[in-house]
Amino acid sequence: MKLSFTSIYTTLHAVGLVNALWPVPRNLETGTSLLKLSPSFDIQFEAGSGWSPPQDLLNAISRTKNRIWNDKLGRLVVGRGEDDREGLESASSLSLLTLELDSHSHSKSTNDDDSVGSSTSHALLPISVEAVKDIGTRSEEYSLKVPANGGPAVIRANSSLGLLRGLTTFEQLWYWLPGDVDEGDAGGIVYAHQVPVTIEKDYPAFPYRGFMLDTARNFFPVDDIKRVLDTMSLVKMSVFHWHVVDSQSFPLTIPGFEELARKGAYSRKEIYSSADVQGIVKYAAERGIDVLVEIDTPGHTAIIAKAYPEHIACPDAMPWSQYAHEPPAGQLRLASSATTNFTVSMLSSIAQTLPSTMFGTGGDEINENCYQKDPSTQEDLKRSGATLEKALDSFTQTTHGALRQLGKKVVVWQEMALNHRVSLANDTIIMVWKSSEHATEVAKKGFRIIHAPSDYFYLDCGGGEWFGNYPGTNSWCDPFKSWQKAYAFDPLASLSSAEASLVLGGQQLLWTEQASPENLDPIIWPRAAVSSEVFWTGPHHPSGQFRTVAEALHRLHDVRFRMVQRGVRAIPLQPQWCALRPGQCDSGGLPSTAWGFALKKLTKVIKRYKRIALSLTNNYLERIGYNEL
Amino acid sequence: MKLSFTSIYTTLHAVGLVNALWPVPRNLETGTSLLKLSPSFDIQFEAGSGWSPPQDLLDAISRTNYRLWNDKLGRLVVGRGEDDREGLESASSLSLLTLALDSHSQSTTTNDDGSSTSHSLLPISVEAVKDIGTRSEEYSLKVPADGSPAVIKANSSLGLLRGLTTFEQLWHWLPARDAGNADEGDARGVVYAYQAPVVIERDYPAFPYRGFMLDTARNFFPVDDIKRVLDTMSLVKMSVFHWHVVDSQSFPLTIPGFEELAQKGAYSSNEIYSSSDVQSIVKYAAERGIDVLMEIDIPGHTAVIANAYPEHIACPGATPWSQYANEPPAGQLRLASSATTNFTVSMLSSIAQTLPSTMFGTGGDEINTKCYQKDPNTQEDLKRSGATLEKALDSFTQSTHGALRQLGKKVVVWQEMALDHRVSLANDTIVTVWISSKHAAKVAKKGFRVVHAPSDYFYLDCGGGGWIGNSAGMNSWCDPFKSWQKAYTFDPLARLSSAEASLVLGGQQLLWAEQASPENLDPIVWPRAAVSAEIFWTGPRHPSGQFRTVAEALHRLHDVRFRMVQRGVRAIPLQPQWCALRPGQCDSGGLPSMVWGFVLQKLAKVIERYKLIVSLLTTKYSEHLGFNEP
């Protein structure tokens, strides 16, 4: 005789398990019918609409068609969808997806013969143009209907970018059941299991849904970056923040400043040529992603000394911990007018090749000791009679001014707004990284905010310290930021509603002291998809409730398994046993809950000690430290 | 004008940087000469030795020959060896490596007429699966600087393999000047050593068990992934692959006569190790000097058996699982049932007799009492026999262990069997210590042999966040991440008397796969798992007599990591490439930093104390409810 344990958990979760979309749409109604994809399935534009689709939209459509057949993702249920086989025999088939544009969304600029009633075609702006418009002015909205009876599905939007977002959602509806092997059927069925599906006006809560990659501590080939961009697009992310150079290496070719890469890259094979950069920017934009290039100044620039030693203070000074937050030491001589001019030319030269209206100038972790010990800087300051802070202000105004003249909004790390007496333009965008608690301070100063807090979003934390002679020390931002931790982030926490309007969005970040192409995928995915939902959906779940990891887990499993099917080495979140049985690997029962509570209390005590350690560290760092951006 | 900072660090480290071998040999003398590998380089057996090499040694030689030319690893110095170019023009070339056997090491069994026909040498795959502690891995290596033949001398094929492995690590690559684009097939370049002459006299391991454990039940790993792990283990001279092949979540193993277990218990028909897969893995491992220790964990960790044999499993799928198992799903073998005991004996024997290893693992960890208390069947069995649960566990253990011992196996168990239960274990039982490094001494005091597998140093899966579905933002139970530095500070003989020390067979790092799959296998394992390979090859102290330090080890670990990457293993970088090329320059420098480091360490200790309280409470709690692990 077997014991019988009734599982209320399973029941509860079967109800909750309404979809596997990531990020979850704002409005979603689903049914319970099966719907097959017809072998003749096609995606077409609304008949008689008279507008001509841009090439990058046509390419996006081809990709969608390809993926729907080739994802070959089995449903994450016991049997991987085998139970659907019988029902699929009598299920309807979908033959057509129609793309429609809302009225007023066509560009009229191509119609130059003023013939009002003529049937010439209108042009629709390419995705790659829509994706790099000023942040906050992009239209990503779409609606999607998939009827249960096999009638045409429809995506409606008012831009090519909106259509792309709709196609992305559409792709996530489909699963694969292999042919019945016993009957020699090598083919298989692509099907949806929740039709009808109705999504009315899905759009992002925040326009900036980013991911940052550091390509200077270790190098990443172009193909790796493109794979990241493809995966970002799968979860509707909108900004690739490219921290392309730093003190350790300069892999970026800048027209007119080619020596920087020639002498500063790890090797000649570890350089992004101008064509590589354009290739990446175009690839991203066609997938709805804006590329925000950052050249961190005046700190984090030691490597520039290889090509231009005259512009760098304290190059390779030792012990490095007194001159920089990590080795090697070296910063731009911000008090020198020659260095300022050099910096302006260099930044302008690369910035003007980029379509984005954003450009990053860093500004974090400036080390005063480095300048105090640099005779050249001291001489410059003496001559001008300025303080270091004053010189920084001039340097910043000059460099930012040049970028603004090129039509760029400047993006900086939080120190520029909070720790220095520097005049910043009102439209400057501030990245909050040190702690989620600093967002309010930035908002109070009236600047727009990107959330990039190390305590929630740093993907590199928790892998152990990387300094050479530290036995058994944890990373500075321990512990590991699990997906659950990131998912608990509230973008509007402790902000007034006026301040809330300054939040552009946020991003998870990978600093690459301990990352390389070898572990790029597993360290990023699926974790970086978490912020894409936080910033698409906002603090609340569309149902009006706060988002919970218990609800999100199954959907995140689903998108992770889809990533793997697409060749992305995303990590498993649980044993496969759990992935196929939603809720059954939750910690169950009242005793567990009580225990969890007790543990949380104890954790708080530990946190208090940690905070003491951290604040001591911060104090220390202001003079010497080896913190990390 | 530039500031000039004199860098004493660079100087210090340039002196210390004598080699890039991992694990570091016991005796090592190196020179400073460059030595090229001749295009006609060959590996031959000692002339006139009259012995015939086994096929797997010939295969190992071919692999070495291939890797010497194809590793293409640039030296980890600024310029990647460009500074060596001029010196290489006039450097000597090595054309021959000779493999020599010590006398008395040939088998003479083939020679039945007294003639001078060739003697046979036992294959690597036979030497590698001999009883642990009786294997001969010793070798000596000489590489002269003048281009005359190099020599590896050993007294077994296994020793020769270890020598070849060291030899491979001596070589680096410099592409031809203006070699252009390697993508365009321009493969010209020089393979060279930069520290000739190299003399290694009698290098041999401090401990015979240098292992790695992989769990293939929480998530499945295809055969090719396992073989890549074995290749990488061999690169750092590891000797045991502990294969935690099945568990409560899935049963991917085909057992002759018990095929239903995999048919109904694997995640899918594509996620099963067939009998030929198992044999192929065992053979592949043995040819590379690695013994496969297979573990079928009993009586806990067996829920999935209920899919095929529901009659043998107590509390299958019981919820809330946390009351009946350490992780979901719940379910354990009905240890008080004689039918279940017979079933278990047959199943274990059926798989064990197909395996050449003299070790077999039966687990025995995390047995949940409540599961049995709530199982009417077990309660009836106990009542009928009048035995307590502990008594029943003892009978069950003696039956299963007895059957394995009859097959010539030494049984390997987790520490609970020795420390937490009243179970009679044979003296030759091997106990794997996992809960804490502090428990090794207790096991040794009971006179059992010890394999170190402590979660506080060696669990590779720790620190990735909790994986229980609804626990928001919780850390993993064995937080923090066990960095390579932490693992490297492990002392295998800590708190052991010298008598007890002789019971230490070695140790291993472990990957439990709740949050691992083929997608992150390489990065989560390598190069970290190589750390214990050095600890157990070299022992508590560096061959110089000093304690090992992470500062000295780092550059060598970088080197072996870059070599792994060249061989297609996705090992993680330990530092920015800038640091990897500049030994010592990314150490935290200066007195203030050291003082600060000290203060931080003190504070860390306070935190650790609180953590200890938490973990203590957790352990107490999990004895009847929790979600602890292996």
Side-chain angles (χ1 to χ4, degrees), chain B residues 212-277:
Chain B
F212 166 67
M213 193 217 75
L214 181 65
D215 159 16
T216 58
R218 273 56 180 258
N219 282 303
F220 181 80
F221 296 83
V223 173
D224 282 351
D225 287 298
I226 293 177
K227 288 187 173 170
R228 196 174 60 256
V229 167
L230 293 168
D231 275 320
T232 318
M233 289 173 66
S234 186
L235 161 61
V236 291
K237 303 191 177 76
M238 292 166 87
S239 62
V240 180
F241 175 60
H242 174 183
W243 191 1
H244 185 89
V245 60
V246 299
D247 209 297
S248 275
Q249 289 82 1
S250 78
F251 203 104
L253 177 68
T254 304
I255 298 186
F258 298 81
E259 287 81 2
E260 297 239 313
L261 284 168
Q263 270 156 26
K264 297 190 174 169
Y267 282 133
S268 75
S269 56
N270 296 325
E271 291 163 296
I272 291 178
Y273 304 107
S274 69
S275 293
S276 69
D277 288 341

Side-chain angles (χ1 to χ4, degrees), chain A residues 583-625:
Chain A
Q584 292 203 31
C585 293
D586 290 0
S587 76
L590 190 63
S592 281
T593 311
W595 186 245
F597 185 74
L599 272 184
K600 258 191 195 156
K601 286 281 160 202
L602 259 163
T603 308
K604 273 200 181 147
V605 176
I606 293 170
K607 275 205 179 135
R608 194 170 313 142
Y609 276 90
K610 275 202 179 152
R611 207 170 300 143
I612 296 167
L614 192 70
S615 90
L616 284 170
T617 308
N618 280 336
N619 280 338
Y620 179 77
L621 286 179
E622 279 166 20
R623 277 185 333 130
I624 287 183

Side-chain angles (χ1 to χ4, degrees), chain A residues 20 26 274 373 446 472 488-489 526 532 567:
Chain A
R26 261 159 204 279
S274 293
K373 298 282 170 68
F489 183 77
S532 82

